[in-house]
């Protein structure tokens, strides 16, 4: 897990350096409006729920690159059991602003990362559990949505979540 988080952090640093460049070399003449952006969200999907926080760098008010850390609860109804995991992912967000004041915007989040199962409560007689303690899984998701800015950079957002093998709805607040 430490290697995955280290890899995602290094990728984030490389992409933020690339975003400040003109495609290959970092120049002092080109200026970008770099601002931090943080969110807290919950995602309700069929048989699972996620709670995540994210931190990233908003580049030119249209693109954001960052890291998401979260907690996931999955219910496996085939064996009946609860599965608990910790998630870490790299995300890219693109905004499509509506109007000149940029109060409302459509956005698309693309996430890639990993989850680590730290606890399950399977019964001993279950033969084929979905996940076992210590398993790692891949996170791939696409989250389009609609954002409304309330005050300065304080905003709320809502939209569908489509992930590898599941879909649902996400809601959150950002600043």
């Amino acid at each position: 897990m430490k290697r995955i988080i280290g890899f995602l952090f290094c990728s984030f640093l490389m992409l933020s350096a690339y975003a400040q460049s003109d495609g290959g070399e970092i120049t002092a003449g080109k200026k970008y409006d770099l601002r931090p952006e943080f969110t807290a969200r919950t995602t309700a999907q069929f048989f699972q729920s996620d709670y995540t926080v994210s931190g990233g760098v908003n580049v030119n008010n249209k693109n954001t690159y960052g890291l998401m850390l979260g907690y996931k609860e999955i219910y496996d109804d085939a064996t009946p059991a609860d599965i608990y995991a910790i998630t870490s992912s790299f995300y890219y967000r693109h905004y499509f602003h509506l109007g000149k004041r940029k109060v409302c915007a459509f956005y698309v989040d693309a996430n890639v990362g990993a989850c680590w199962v730290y606890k399950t409560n399977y019964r001993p007689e279950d033969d084929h559990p979905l996940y076992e303690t210590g398993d790692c899984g891949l996170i791939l998701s696409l989250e389009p949505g609609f954002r409304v800015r309330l005050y300065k950079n304080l905003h709320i957002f809502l939209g569908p979540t489509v992930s590898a093998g599941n879909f649902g709805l996400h809601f959150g607040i950002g600043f």
Side-chain angles (χ1 to χ4, degrees):
M1 190 64 171
K2 290 179 185 177
R3 290 181 185 172
I4 293 171
I5 293 173
F7 173 74
L8 291 173
F9 182 71
C10 289
S11 300
F12 170 71
L13 290 177
M14 288 174 42
L15 283 173
S16 63
Y18 182 78
Q20 294 177 21
S21 71
D22 60 352
E25 60 190 36
I26 298 176
T27 60
K30 202 168 194 181
K31 297 198 179 192
Y32 288 92
D33 183 20
L34 300 177
R35 293 177 305 175
E37 184 172 290
F38 301 98
T39 65
R41 74 177 62 198
T42 183
T43 304
Q45 298 178 333
F46 290 103
F47 302 108
Q48 73 182 32
S49 60
D50 298 342
Y51 308 97
T52 57
V53 293
S54 69
V57 176
N58 188 318
V59 180
N60 70 9
N61 209 18
K62 288 187 180 180
N63 302 310
T64 302
Y65 303 94
L67 293 173
M68 280 188 176
L69 299 173
Y71 169 76
K72 180 181 285 206
E73 296 177 1
I74 303 169
Y75 178 71
D76 181 13
D77 67 336
T79 55
D82 292 314
I83 302 160
Y84 303 96
I86 295 174
T87 63
S88 173
S89 63
F90 172 74
Y91 75 93
Y92 167 73
R93 179 178 301 132
H94 186 80
Y95 290 106
F96 302 96
H97 294 287
L98 304 174
K100 292 182 181 182
R101 295 185 55 216
K102 300 179 183 176
V103 173
C104 298
F106 288 104
Y107 66 90
V108 177
D109 281 358
N111 304 323
V112 63
C115 71
W116 176 70
V117 176
Y118 70 90
K119 180 182 171 186
T120 61
N121 63 355
Y122 287 111
R123 296 177 303 202
E125 63 269 10
D126 293 332
D127 291 340
H128 304 288
L130 181 63
Y131 291 106
E132 293 182 8
T133 303
D135 283 353
C136 284
L138 178 66
I139 295 175
L140 293 172
S141 69
L142 190 64
E143 300 178 348
F146 187 72
R147 177 189 87 155
V148 176
R149 185 168 47 98
L150 303 174
Y151 176 74
K152 293 192 180 183
N153 195 29
L154 181 65
H155 56 272
I156 57 173
F157 54 91
L158 173 73
T161 297
V162 180
S163 64
N166 211 343
F167 60 94
L169 187 68
H170 70 273
F171 172 76
I173 187 166
F175 55 93

